[in-house]
Amino acid sequence: MPTRIITREGYTRLQEEHDHLWNVKRPEITKIVSWAASLGDRSENADYTYNKRILRQIDRRVHFLRKLMPQLQIVDYSPQQEGRVFFGAWVEIENEQGDTRKFRIVGHEEIYGDKKDYISIDSPMARALLKKQVDDDVVVSTPTGDKTWFVTAIRYQPE
């Protein structure tokens, strides 16, 4: 089961998605479905069938968000985190070959969509990095064996 924590920015994005789906998208699709239903035979009405499916997808997502959001705990930045890797940190790491990676450790619900540089707090990499400092070695177990990384930078974006 994923850890139920989220950054303030992530929670705000989920809230905005919910509000957009419920207040903008759903009323638009409902109007189209009503119009298509008024045309008569629904069995061969592509507009009705397609938009009814879209409406079900919106309703599923809204239901999911309404169930999820009260369960999430928002974790804000704290000045005591400086110098160590904790939830919400932007971390830059490098391996012995000189390959570098830069990502932010966030909640499970924040890693989807266009956020390619986010990793879940539940990932093996994030778990290995927690409480590390700059210049610390991090050993991450992977299916192909243990990999060693070096922490080169840690930063937070306080609200």
Side-chain angles (χ1 to χ4, degrees):
M1 180 127 167
T3 307
R4 295 292 186 177
I5 57 178
I6 193 166
T7 61
R8 180 144 325 261
E9 304 91 62
Y11 191 85
T12 301
R13 262 193 312 278
L14 290 179
Q15 185 68 48
E16 288 170 354
E17 178 187 0
H18 172 273
D19 293 346
H20 176 75
L21 288 172
W22 188 252
N23 298 324
V24 178
K25 196 72 174 166
R26 192 175 195 286
E28 289 173 3
I29 299 298
T30 302
K31 284 181 189 174
I32 295 170
V33 168
S34 297
W35 167 79
S38 71
L39 298 177
D41 185 12
R42 296 177 188 172
S43 64
E44 295 180 13
N45 188 332
D47 283 329
Y48 177 82
T49 305
Y50 174 75
N51 287 294
K52 192 71 172 171
R53 183 168 25 103
I54 298 296
L55 192 58
R56 283 192 303 271
Q57 290 172 354
I58 291 170
D59 287 344
R60 271 194 303 273
R61 183 66 179 168
V62 166
H63 176 74
F64 171 77
L65 291 172
R66 286 183 176 173
K67 188 175 175 185
L68 171 72
M69 290 172 61
Q71 299 173 3
L72 295 173
Q73 178 184 357
I74 298 171
V75 177
D76 288 318
Y77 165 78
S78 171
Q80 290 111 351
Q81 294 174 311
E82 286 297 330
R84 290 196 178 270
V85 177
F86 289 104
F87 184 79
W90 282 96
V91 183
E92 191 171 320
I93 57 175
E94 185 176 340
N95 65 9
E96 294 166 344
Q97 292 78 30
D99 298 330
T100 61
R101 303 274 189 275
K102 182 181 175 187
F103 47 79
R104 185 175 190 198
I105 299 173
V106 295
H108 177 73
E109 298 301 328
E110 298 177 77
I111 61 173
Y112 301 105
D114 61 348
K115 299 298 181 188
K116 304 291 186 227
D117 54 351
Y118 281 17
I119 64 169
S120 170
I121 186 73
D122 298 318
S123 70
M125 177 65 82
R127 292 288 180 191
L129 283 167
L130 287 177
K131 299 183 183 177
K132 298 294 185 199
Q133 300 179 70
V134 173
D135 295 329
D136 282 354
D137 294 348
V138 178
V139 178
V140 180
S141 297
T142 67
T144 59
D146 290 348
K147 305 288 183 196
T148 303
W149 295 86
F150 308 99
V151 179
T152 57
I154 304 166
R155 69 179 176 83
Y156 291 88
Q157 292 180 330
E159 276 72 49

